[in-house]
């Protein structure tokens, strides 16, 4: 595996339209600027948390998960540390592609996918169709994704455009531990509860409760993984007085129990 990301590999991804491009490397830098590919991208990371931004949303990619980025989607990559390892596979677009490949989303990685992905660790660069063995394995990897990734996880938050909501979500981010009610929020920003509810649905396509819950869980995940806090400490810092309630909500949103992250984070981040 390469010791760092040579960002020129990004231009190599689309050099040959019919190849599958494979790239495993330590990032070695704080971010990869906004770019896009003519191929669909499978991205798995280890060694730290990664934020991936598109013009519409900010995605939070934790350990044991991958993100699928459709062809043509502008995105930038921001790791929590330059030591993050990226494992990328880039696939040509096909007319017969499942609708799965048209959506940017995050999915958990199961043992089968992990084994196949680690098998590709010996490859780097273009895998050509005439290299039947490697190409068939890589193509099978892509074809498995819709079958294994039926349930995308909501590990993303959209950006609001309305100036009122920009201020409100910034306030929520800074008061993540507070027991904020909807009425309190409406009164503080001088807007009726009905108008505020409509604003959340129109701008973010989710309710206040949905947004604040996901925000809390993403903050909690960061505290678990980056700050190495205990589950009890994390629950308190994101506003939960009941540990079971926090744990159950975390599991529903993130797809893995917080105890599993605490148990395995040394393995995922060593």
């Amino acid at each position: 595996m390469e010791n760092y990301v040579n960002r020129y590999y990004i231009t190599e991804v689309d050099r040959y339209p019919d190849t599958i491009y494979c790239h495993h490397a330590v990032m070695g830098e704080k971010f990869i600027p906004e770019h896009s590919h003519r191929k669909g991208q499978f991205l798995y990371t280890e060694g730290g948390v990664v934020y991936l931004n598109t013009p519409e949303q900010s995605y939070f990619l934790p350990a044991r998960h991958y993100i699928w980025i459709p062809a043509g989607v502008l995105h930038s990559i921001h790791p929590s540390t330059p030591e993050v390892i990226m494992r990328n596979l880039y696939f040509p677009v096909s007319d017969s592609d499942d609708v799965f490949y048209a959506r940017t989303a995050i999915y958990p990685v199961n043992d089968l996918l992990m084994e196949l992905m680690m098998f590709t660790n010996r490859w780097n660069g273009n895998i050509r169709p005439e290299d039947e063995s490697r190409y068939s394995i890589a193509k099978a990897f892509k074809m498995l994704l819709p079958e294994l990734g039926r349930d995308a996880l909501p590990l993303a938050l959209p950006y609001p455009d309305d100036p009122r909501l920009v201020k409100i979500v910034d306030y929520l981010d800074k008061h993540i531990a507070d027991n904020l009610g909807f009425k309190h929020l409406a009164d503080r920003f001088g807007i009726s509860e009905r108008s505020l509810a409509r604003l959340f649905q129109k701008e973010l396509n989710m309710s206040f409760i949905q947004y604040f819950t996901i925000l809390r869980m993403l903050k909690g995940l960061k505290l678990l993984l980056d700050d190495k806090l205990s589950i009890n400490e994390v629950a308190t810092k994101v506003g939960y007085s009941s540990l079971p309630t926090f744990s159950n909500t975390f599991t529903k949103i993130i797809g893995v129990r917080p105890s599993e992250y605490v148990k395995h984070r040394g393995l995922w981040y060593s």
Side-chain angles (χ1 to χ4, degrees), residues 51-269:
Y51 300 90
L52 187 140
N53 295 332
T54 70
E56 291 79 29
Q57 297 199 88
S58 177
Y59 294 86
F60 188 101
L61 182 61
R64 201 74 183 186
H65 292 76
Y66 75 90
I67 186 167
W68 176 263
I69 308 165
V73 172
L74 283 169
H75 60 282
S76 57
I77 300 172
H78 309 258
S80 60
T81 167
E83 284 70 47
V84 165
I85 296 171
M86 294 200 311
R87 303 191 183 280
N88 295 284
L89 286 165
Y90 300 85
F91 298 94
V93 175
S94 169
D95 292 339
S96 61
D97 275 349
D98 190 275
V99 293
F100 170 94
Y101 304 111
R103 176 189 180 191
T104 304
I106 292 175
Y107 305 88
V109 170
N110 64 14
D111 291 340
L112 172 60
L113 206 57
M114 179 67 77
E115 288 293 329
L116 285 170
M117 180 177 56
M118 295 310 294
F119 183 81
T120 71
N121 189 44
R122 67 193 73 182
W123 305 337
N124 246 334
N126 287 293
I127 305 172
R128 303 174 185 277
E130 52 266 30
D131 185 354
E132 293 184 8
S133 177
R134 292 196 302 168
Y135 195 86
S136 296
I137 293 170
K139 189 174 180 180
F141 182 96
K142 177 190 176 184
M143 294 176 67
L144 277 172
L145 296 180
E147 184 67 26
L148 299 178
R150 294 182 181 276
D151 299 312
L153 298 174
L155 301 180
L157 286 173
Y159 302 124
D161 291 322
D162 191 293
R164 295 171 295 173
L165 201 54
V166 170
K167 293 179 180 178
I168 289 170
V169 298
D170 181 62
Y171 179 81
L172 293 176
D173 187 72
K174 292 175 179 176
H175 294 80
I176 201 77
D178 297 344
N179 186 21
L180 300 176
F182 194 62
K183 185 178 187 306
H184 165 85
L185 202 61
D187 291 344
R188 180 175 181 83
F189 288 91
I191 186 172
S192 71
E193 292 182 57
R194 185 176 183 182
S195 295
L196 184 58
R198 287 177 174 173
L199 198 57
F200 266 91
Q201 286 293 346
K202 178 184 176 182
E203 287 279 308
L204 306 177
N205 198 32
M206 62 180 72
S207 69
F208 157 71
I209 291 296
Q210 287 173 316
Y211 183 91
F212 199 34
T213 300
I214 294 173
L215 180 63
R216 280 175 155 175
M217 293 306 106
L218 295 184
K219 289 283 187 179
L221 186 54
K222 184 180 186 302
L223 292 170
L224 276 177
L225 298 180
D226 279 358
D227 297 353
K228 306 296 192 296
L229 299 184
S230 70
I231 300 173
N232 278 317
E233 289 173 311
V234 171
T236 301
K237 282 186 174 291
V238 298
Y240 284 79
S241 57
S242 167
L243 185 58
T245 301
F246 168 74
S247 182
N248 290 336
T249 306
F250 184 98
T251 304
K252 181 179 179 181
I253 300 296
I254 306 299
V256 178
R257 297 197 70 80
S259 56
E260 285 298 304
Y261 269 107
V262 172
K263 179 180 177 182
H264 293 292
R265 64 187 171 192
L267 299 174
W268 292 341
Y269 288 79

Side-chain angles (χ1 to χ4, degrees), residues 9-82:
Y9 88 91
I10 295 174
T11 63
E12 291 297 309
V13 168
D14 293 323
R15 182 180 292 274
Y16 305 104
D18 61 341
T19 64
I20 297 170
Y21 194 89
C22 184
H23 187 78
H24 301 266
V26 177
M27 288 223 29
E29 51 189 311
K30 294 182 179 179
F31 77 103
I32 295 179
E34 189 174 67
H35 63 285
S36 65
H37 315 284
R38 293 194 294 273
K39 294 177 180 176
Q41 179 180 359
F42 169 98
L43 170 61
Y44 176 90
T45 62
E46 55 194 55
V49 175
V50 167
Y51 300 90
L52 187 140
N53 295 332
T54 70
E56 291 79 29
Q57 297 199 88
S58 177
Y59 294 86
F60 188 101
L61 182 61
R64 201 74 183 186
H65 292 76
Y66 75 90
I67 186 167
W68 176 263
I69 308 165
V73 172
L74 283 169
H75 60 282
S76 57
I77 300 172
H78 309 258
S80 60
T81 167

